[in-house]
């Protein structure tokens, strides 16, 4: 027997097999969606002898099978990830969608050829309730979904300073963050006014370790002296894509001036007469080197003039210059 099938009610036929001996045949049904199918059996020796299904039958499409991601994965925002599926279970192009809320709502990724794989640039939409849904583009009601939720990690997460810390000028502190392995250069900034304005620390800072998944990054920051604020923040973002791909400290932290050296005299309000000898005094903590440069200002600290360098001790007898000024300071 020759065995054939039709998908147009018998107008034309496609061969399944020829010269088959027996009265039953196990047929792997093609993956199509058709309601006008028929089978025709023909005597292979005398082809005028044949019979056809008395009426049409239906071939329904197979259940689609998604392979990855199928639950439990952690994907990095901005990175390319291969969504894969069993191509044999689809009869048309495939429609890919993702959900960030365990399937309550869906966002289209796109419609693609049935190649079994499609690279997806993971969006900057951090969530632990992500799913992928895949369906035949011509029959979206027949689909497969990830067996369990997966995670899309934030592209950058600042971990230090992240709120509540106290940092001091002239000290080095590690700014740390986690970053997607697809981000290779960063801009690092600090704010002293809760984010109203920002000052750049490093731009760009190339510190990616190029590992898969999120990577731990560190920048050792020498905090400038003279800052007094309880409204400090750190911001790290992708140098190439700007602040939309970045993160800020979860809460404000404090930056105070360095206290290793404290001027005790003159410390404000004194009147010293020109050409007299006055004693400049200061205290120090153990972290100070013990060698000091001594300077004075006549414009409230906008600029300074050196009195002496590399002085050892905690008091210095200074011959005051013969000037008339009310905005003097010692540094």
């Amino acid at each position: 027997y020759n065995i054939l099938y039709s998908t147009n009610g018998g107008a034309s036929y496609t061969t399944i097999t020829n010269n088959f001996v027996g009265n039953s045949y196990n047929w792997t049904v093609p993956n199509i969606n058709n309601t006008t199918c028929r089978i025709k059996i023909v005597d292979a020796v005398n082809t005028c002898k044949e019979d056809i299904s008395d009426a049409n039958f239906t071939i329904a499409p197979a259940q689609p099978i998604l392979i990855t991601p199928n639950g439990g994965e952690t994907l990095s925002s901005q990175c390319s990830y291969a969504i894969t599926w069993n191509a044999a279970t689809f009869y048309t192009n495939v429609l890919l969608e993702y959900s960030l809320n365990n399937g309550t709502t869906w966002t289209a990724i796109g419609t693609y050829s049935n190649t079994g794989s499609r690279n997806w640039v993971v969006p900057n939409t951090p969530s632990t309730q992500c799913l992928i849904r895949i369906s035949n583009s011509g029959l979206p009601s027949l689909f497969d979904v990830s067996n369990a939720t997966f995670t899309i990690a934030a592209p950058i997460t600042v971990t230090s300073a992240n709120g509540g810390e106290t940092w001091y000028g002239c000290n080095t502190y590690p700014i740390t963050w986690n970053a997607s392995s697809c981000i290779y250069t960063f801009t690092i900034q600090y704010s002293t006014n809760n984010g109203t304005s920002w000052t750049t620390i490093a731009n760009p800072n190339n510190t990616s370790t190029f590992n898969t998944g999120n990577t731990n990054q560190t920048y050792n920051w020498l905090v400038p002296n003279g800052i007094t604020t309880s409204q400090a923040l750190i911001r790290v973002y992708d140098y190439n894509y700007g602040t939309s791909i970045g993160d800020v400290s979860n809460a404000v932290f404090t930056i105070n001036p360095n206290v290793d050296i404290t001027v005790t005299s003159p410390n404000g309000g004194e009147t010293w007469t020109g050409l007299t000898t006055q004693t400049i005094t200061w205290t120090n903590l153990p972290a100070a080197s013990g060698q000091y440069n001594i300077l004075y200002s006549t414009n409230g600290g906008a600029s300074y003039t050196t009195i002496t360098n590399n002085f050892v001790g905690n008091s210095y007898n200074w011959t005051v210059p013969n000037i008339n000024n009310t905005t003097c300071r010692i540094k």
Side-chain angles (χ1 to χ4, degrees), residues 156-235:
I156 297 174
T157 302
V158 173
T159 53
S160 177
N162 205 31
E165 302 91 341
T166 298
W167 289 0
Y168 292 93
C170 292
N171 287 278
T172 298
Y173 297 91
I175 297 173
T176 60
W177 65 96
N178 295 327
S180 164
S181 61
C182 300
I183 303 176
Y184 306 136
T185 53
F186 306 90
T187 296
I188 307 169
Q189 297 178 317
Y190 74 97
S191 173
T192 59
N193 50 22
N194 198 23
T196 300
S197 60
W198 296 91
T199 300
T200 296
I201 299 170
N203 182 39
N205 179 55
N206 299 279
T207 63
S208 176
T209 53
F210 297 91
N211 293 332
T212 56
N214 282 23
T215 57
N216 297 321
Q217 310 284 352
T218 300
Y219 180 88
N220 291 317
W221 181 36
L222 177 61
V223 179
N225 204 14
I227 299 174
T228 302
T229 180
S230 60
Q231 299 292 300
L233 294 170
I234 293 295
R235 179 166 71 178

Side-chain angles (χ1 to χ4, degrees), residues 277-297:
T277 299
Q278 303 290 338
T279 302
I280 300 170
T281 62
W282 62 95
T283 61
N284 68 277
L285 297 178
S289 69
Q291 292 178 275
Y292 305 99
N293 301 333
I294 307 172
L295 308 92
Y296 75 98
S297 172

Side-chain angles (χ1 to χ4, degrees), residues 73-97:
E73 300 91 343
T74 296
L75 310 188
S76 296
S77 298
Q78 306 303 113
C79 292
S80 180
Y81 178 84
I83 299 173
T84 61
W85 62 91
N86 183 340
T89 63
F90 291 84
Y91 73 95
T92 65
N93 292 336
V94 298
L95 171 63
L96 296 175
E97 301 167 286

Side-chain angles (χ1 to χ4, degrees):
Y1 304 97
N2 300 332
I3 307 172
L4 307 93
Y5 75 99
S6 172
T7 58
N8 52 19
S12 61
Y13 283 89
T14 300
T15 297
I16 297 174
T17 189
N18 288 327
N19 301 309
F20 178 78
V21 176
N23 292 94
S24 66
Y25 179 83
N26 292 324
W27 179 37
T28 300
V29 182
N31 190 24
I32 58 177
N33 184 22
N34 195 283
T35 60
T36 58
C37 301
R38 295 206 177 199
I39 291 292
K40 180 165 70 171
I41 306 295
V42 180
D43 190 311
V45 177
N46 187 354
T47 57
C48 75
K49 298 177 181 180
E50 63 179 40
D51 191 32
I52 300 171
S53 306
D54 290 343
N56 295 331
F57 66 93
T58 296
I59 295 179
Q63 172 63 43
I65 297 176
L66 174 70
I67 299 175
T68 60
N70 211 27
E73 300 91 343
T74 296
L75 310 188
S76 296
S77 298
Q78 306 303 113
C79 292
S80 180
Y81 178 84
I83 299 173
T84 61
W85 62 91
N86 183 340
T89 63
F90 291 84
Y91 73 95
T92 65
N93 292 336
V94 298
L95 171 63
L96 296 175
E97 301 167 286
Y98 71 95
S99 173
L100 302 173
N101 49 24
N102 199 22
T104 301
T105 59
W106 294 91
T107 300
I109 298 173
T111 300
Y112 306 102
S113 298
N114 182 23
T115 59
S117 178
R118 179 70 186 186
N119 287 331
W120 177 41
V121 177
V122 181
N124 181 20
T125 52
S127 172
T128 60
Q129 298 293 302
C130 303
L131 296 169
I132 291 292
R133 182 166 69 183
I134 187 169
S135 60
N136 290 287
S137 61
L139 187 63
S141 60
L142 185 63
F143 57 84
D144 191 23
V145 176
S146 307
N147 286 351
T149 58
F150 61 91
T151 296
I152 295 178
I156 297 174
T157 302
V158 173
T159 53
S160 177
N162 205 31
E165 302 91 341
T166 298
W167 289 0
Y168 292 93
C170 292
N171 287 278
T172 298
Y173 297 91
I175 297 173
T176 60
W177 65 96
N178 295 327
S180 164
S181 61
C182 300
I183 303 176
Y184 306 136
T185 53
F186 306 90
T187 296
I188 307 169
Q189 297 178 317
Y190 74 97
S191 173
T192 59
N193 50 22
N194 198 23
T196 300
S197 60
W198 296 91
T199 300
T200 296
I201 299 170
N203 182 39
N205 179 55
N206 299 279
T207 63
S208 176
T209 53
F210 297 91
N211 293 332
T212 56
N214 282 23
T215 57
N216 297 321
Q217 310 284 352
T218 300
Y219 180 88
N220 291 317
W221 181 36
L222 177 61
V223 179
N225 204 14
I227 299 174
T228 302
T229 180
S230 60
Q231 299 292 300
L233 294 170
I234 293 295
R235 179 166 71 178
V236 181
Y237 60 86
D238 187 329
Y239 172 73
N240 294 308
Y241 289 93
T243 56
S244 63
I245 309 297
D247 190 37
V248 177
S249 308
N250 285 352
V252 294
F253 66 100
T254 297
I255 299 177
N256 286 327
N258 184 277
V259 293
D260 289 346
I261 302 171
T262 302
V263 175
T264 53
S265 178
N267 206 28
E270 301 89 344
T271 298
W272 285 1
T273 302
L275 302 184
T276 63
T277 299
Q278 303 290 338
T279 302
I280 300 170
T281 62
W282 62 95
T283 61
N284 68 277
L285 297 178
S289 69
Q291 292 178 275
Y292 305 99
N293 301 333
I294 307 172
L295 308 92
Y296 75 98
S297 172
T298 59
N299 53 19
S303 61
Y304 283 88
T305 300
T306 298
I307 298 173
T308 188
N309 288 326
N310 301 312
F311 179 79
V312 177
N314 290 91
S315 66
Y316 180 83
N317 293 324
W318 179 40
T319 300
V320 181
N322 190 23
I323 59 177
N324 184 24
N325 193 285
T326 60
T327 58
C328 301
R329 294 207 174 197
I330 290 293
K331 178 163 74 169

